[in-house]
Amino acid sequence: MNFTAEINRRRTFGIISHPDAGKTTLTEKLLLFGGAIQEAGAVKSNKIKKGATSDFMEIERQRGISVATSVLAFEYDGIKINILDTPGHKDFAEDTFRTLTAVDSVIVVIDVAKGVEEQTEKLVEVCRMRNIPMIVFINKLDREGKDAFDLLDEIEQKLGLRVTPLSFPIGMGYDFKGIYNLWEKNVNLFSGDSRKNIEETIEVSDLNSSMLNDLIGDQAADELRENIELVDGIYPNFDKNSYLKGELQPVFFGSALNNFGVRELLDCFVDIAPKPRAKKSEERLVAPEEKNFSGFVFKIHANMDPNHRDRLAFIKVVSGEFKRNTPYLHVRLNKKLKFSSPNAFFAEKKQIVDISYPGDIVGLHDTGNFKIGDTLTEGEVIHYKGIPSFSPEHFRYINNADPMKSKQLYKGIDQLMDEGVAQLFTLDYNGRKVIGTVGALQYEVIQYRLEHEYGAKCTYENLNVHKACWIQTDDEKSEEFQEFLRVKQRYLARDKRNQLVFLADSQFSLQMSQQKFPSITFHMTSEFD
């Protein structure tokens, strides 16, 4: 198989939604079709020993939520599919935003009973800013929920999308009979038996035929005919180009837990989803077909295997072929590195790969060389943009609770911060360490992981900080800047890259500082030009 054919058969996408809409369950069901796992362990009941394959951190298993993004790959119909399952919980939003820089398209999962929720709105907004093509999957149809048309309206209004249904439910909840597939013109009857792995479909090319009445009963058949007539009248016809430009979003209905309506979604996805796309770098636009390899780190995960202290850097291949044991240039450090065991993922199972193509995600064992956003190339200096650190919302001092273990504590904090779980600031005037996070749940995760993975105990103290701002000035010797350093010395800190950060204790003091020191710029994210 040649290089171009390999690129054309790759599809890399992310699954996003509000917590509990069913992302991880959908991921598992997609893997079933790829023959990747034999039985799916739903997140719902804790009785199942299996546990979901894509949630592999202890804390995720306890709470039934995904905390870290996981990468899964499988083959379906000759197409190689890479899924990035992201955390929906808002405390882990930053990890999700970063993951979105590495996908070519997105599936948005929406809970039929709850409709569009706030986390979905934020994530979809990020996708729209980047014009990422989206497919919407409305989940949990085996429960009572909102009317299909109301939901479609809500998606259009709240998310600002233009939708067109490619499948439509027959009844809902207790009366749920099945799905009519507009894309392939057939009816899929719901048996309510989740053990059946793959549903049978019955072709109904003419909706007016009496066969439909025999299948689902007169009342449901009449209702379906009316609904489909409405759909044809109201919604635009599906057009692949508008979808690829991010201007039109197809919608599917189903129930991931019962593995229902998932095949339709997958078949259509394989048909229409974009192959790996070109990516902007600061220097130029890089196309996947280029001969020379380039890729970037979008995530670092420490201790994938608790028995071995290892860190994996996840790299998205943008162009060329990534080969094992070949030296590549690490642009930021300006040194050549080679990797003897690059991994391809399959939830917890990793296998060593000799060659990876654009669109693939490769895991590289890392001893501390990588940071999020780093670029690897065959020698050209390229910087891929768009993985910023946001200003955290919560700040706490971190203290060592066990003086004998201070080395482990600092090593642990260091590695977790590289992973991008949270941000570390060191105060200028007394050297105390402050951890800033996007959500409060992260403190628990950090404490838990420090204890279980590094054997270190920590305690926290609250710190009254409203925002962290990165400071930029044209003239560091100016009187104004020196005055700022003198007046604000108690509020100044350094981040991991040693950039100067101002910890404002309130919105008011931030505004006052901005007025008082006009030559200084206060940035809300760490990446500024």
Side-chain angles (χ1 to χ4, degrees):
M1 227 186 196
N2 65 7
F3 179 53
T4 329
E6 284 289 354
I7 298 179
N8 292 343
R9 68 180 207 101
R10 298 254 178 318
R11 306 277 183 274
T12 304
F13 71 101
I15 298 190
I16 58 174
S17 80
H18 196 79
D20 256 7
K23 271 191 308 297
T24 305
T25 312
L26 177 63
T27 309
E28 299 252 301
K29 290 307 194 287
L30 292 172
L31 289 177
L32 261 180
F33 283 106
I37 42 180
Q38 269 46 61
E39 49 179 300
V43 186
K44 260 289 158 287
S45 92
N46 299 326
K47 295 188 200 69
I48 308 180
K49 282 282 186 295
K50 275 194 75 85
T53 13
S54 42
D55 289 355
F56 52 65
M57 238 159 36
E58 194 57 35
I59 200 154
E60 310 186 338
R61 296 208 174 111
Q62 289 171 1
R63 299 207 170 193
I65 57 172
S66 303
V67 177
T69 305
S70 68
V71 181
L72 307 137
F74 65 94
E75 298 252 344
Y76 180 77
D77 264 4
I79 298 282
K80 166 117 194 296
I81 298 180
N82 298 310
I83 308 183
L84 296 152
D85 180 17
T86 61
H89 207 285
K90 71 168 182 295
D91 290 4
F92 303 98
E94 223 173 296
D95 199 27
T96 307
F97 290 142
R98 288 197 202 110
T99 303
L100 290 177
T101 59
V103 300
D104 299 309
S105 66
V106 160
I107 292 183
V108 185
V109 183
I110 290 175
D111 180 331
V112 66
K114 299 189 182 126
V116 175
E117 299 170 90
E118 57 160 348
Q119 203 49 34
T120 322
E121 289 183 44
K122 282 189 195 148
L123 292 167
V124 167
E125 200 177 315
V126 175
C127 296
R128 280 179 50 213
M129 273 162 30
R130 302 212 161 108
N131 293 327
I132 301 176
M134 289 179 260
I135 295 181
V136 181
F137 181 69
I138 295 177
N139 192 14
K140 307 195 178 179
L141 280 195
D142 51 323
R143 306 199 192 161
E144 296 298 324
K146 302 184 177 185
D147 174 73
F149 287 108
D150 292 350
L151 259 173
L152 293 170
D153 284 349
E154 189 178 329
I155 293 169
E156 295 208 304
Q157 283 156 10
K158 282 194 180 166
L159 301 178
L161 303 181
R162 260 183 78 216
V163 299
T164 177
L166 290 186
S167 76
F168 208 82
I170 307 172
M172 181 181 296
Y174 186 68
D175 300 324
F176 183 51
K177 299 264 193 324
I179 286 170
Y180 177 69
N181 184 343
L182 291 117
W183 176 248
E184 297 169 358
K185 298 247 185 307
N186 58 25
V187 170
N188 187 344
L189 296 183
F190 180 62
S191 61
D193 179 2
S194 63
R195 286 188 302 277
K196 272 188 20 196
N197 284 348
I198 302 199
E199 300 285 336
E200 297 90 47
T201 51
I202 297 158
E203 194 136 333
V204 178
S205 44
D206 178 17
L207 272 181
N208 294 321
S209 74
S210 58
M211 190 173 108
L212 187 65
N213 295 38
D214 303 339
L215 283 175
I216 56 177
D218 296 344
Q219 190 187 350
D222 291 343
E223 233 173 74
L224 179 66
R225 290 182 187 123
E226 271 172 40
N227 287 343
I228 299 298
E229 205 172 302
L230 265 174
V231 168
D232 287 344
I234 304 173
Y235 296 103
N237 284 337
F238 177 71
D239 170 52
K240 190 166 167 179
N241 285 340
S242 318
Y243 156 74
L244 290 175
K245 284 188 200 142
E247 294 164 1
L248 181 71
Q249 286 75 27
V251 179
F252 286 87
F253 290 85
S255 158
L257 188 63
N258 294 304
N259 203 359
F260 191 76
V262 178
R263 189 193 59 78
E264 285 81 345
L265 172 72
L266 188 57
D267 284 346
C268 172
F269 173 83
V270 165
D271 224 6
I272 66 175
K275 55 181 199 282
R277 295 154 51 145
K279 188 163 176 66
K280 273 199 184 87
S281 68
E282 285 175 27
E283 291 73 18
R284 60 190 188 84
L285 188 68
V286 181
E289 293 76 20
E290 294 178 19
K291 286 282 169 278
N292 289 343
F293 162 75
S294 73
F296 66 97
V297 178
F298 65 93
K299 173 186 167 60
I300 290 171
H301 196 47
N303 306 325
M304 295 276 283
D305 176 350
N307 308 327
H308 302 280
R309 291 265 166 280
D310 63 344
R311 280 175 38 161
L312 268 185
F314 288 70
I315 286 195
K316 161 88 188 272
V317 181
V318 179
S319 65
E321 298 174 349
F322 177 85
K323 298 190 174 102
R324 182 175 156 192
N325 283 331
T326 308
Y328 290 116
L329 174 70
H330 183 314
V331 175
R332 181 173 55 84
L333 298 178
N334 194 17
K335 68 176 188 189
K336 292 263 183 167
L337 302 172
K338 61 190 222 183
F339 305 94
S340 57
S341 55
N343 284 309
F345 296 96
F346 187 82
E348 320 193 281
K349 305 181 206 44
K350 307 183 294 219
Q351 51 217 34
I352 291 177
V353 282
D354 288 322
I355 184 162
S356 299
Y357 296 94
D360 282 342
I361 309 290
V362 187
L364 302 178
H365 287 282
D366 172 32
T367 48
N369 289 319
F370 288 116
K371 288 188 174 159
I372 287 175
D374 279 349
T375 308
L376 273 182
T377 67
E378 280 193 28
E380 187 183 350
V381 175
I382 299 178
H383 296 86
Y384 286 111
K385 282 172 82 153
I387 305 191
S389 298
F390 298 92
S391 173
E393 315 270 313
H394 303 261
F395 298 85
R396 293 183 192 174
Y397 286 119
I398 179 163
N399 301 323
N400 186 1
D402 179 357
M404 303 294 288
K405 292 279 176 78
S406 60
K407 195 172 147 210
Q408 285 90 327
L409 180 75
Y410 291 119
K411 182 182 175 197
I413 292 176
D414 226 38
Q415 291 208 349
L416 292 179
M417 299 305 133
D418 276 350
E419 209 180 295
V421 177
Q423 293 172 59
L424 183 69
F425 302 105
T426 310
L427 288 181
D428 267 6
Y429 78 103
N430 64 2
R432 285 192 74 179
K433 306 258 188 248
V434 173
I435 286 188
T437 66
V438 184
L441 194 62
Q442 253 137 328
Y443 289 110
E444 277 184 55
V445 172
I446 291 170
Q447 198 168 22
Y448 182 89
R449 289 185 62 185
L450 281 173
E451 192 173 330
H452 288 80
E453 293 171 17
Y454 298 93
K457 288 190 166 64
C458 70
T459 55
Y460 297 115
E461 266 176 69
N462 277 339
L463 170 66
N464 185 22
V465 172
H466 163 70
K467 271 271 185 260
C469 309
W470 282 266
I471 298 299
Q472 188 187 22
T473 176
D474 297 329
D475 179 9
E476 297 209 344
K477 296 194 170 54
S478 69
E479 279 182 30
E480 186 179 316
F481 187 62
Q482 295 304 324
E483 170 73 0
F484 170 75
L485 293 181
R486 199 177 54 76
V487 176
K488 296 291 180 195
Q489 65 173 14
R490 299 190 53 128
Y491 300 104
L492 294 178
R494 299 265 167 194
D495 70 1
K496 243 192 122 157
R497 296 196 214 148
N498 213 22
Q499 286 171 295
L500 187 64
V501 178
F502 168 52
L503 304 175
D505 53 356
S506 67
Q507 182 68 40
F508 176 68
S509 84
L510 179 58
Q511 283 165 342
M512 291 302 289
S513 307
Q514 282 167 324
Q515 285 163 11
K516 195 172 167 192
F517 305 106
S519 75
I520 297 174
T521 328
F522 296 82
H523 295 279
M524 288 300 167
T525 63
S526 65
E527 256 191 29
F528 40 83
D529 304 326

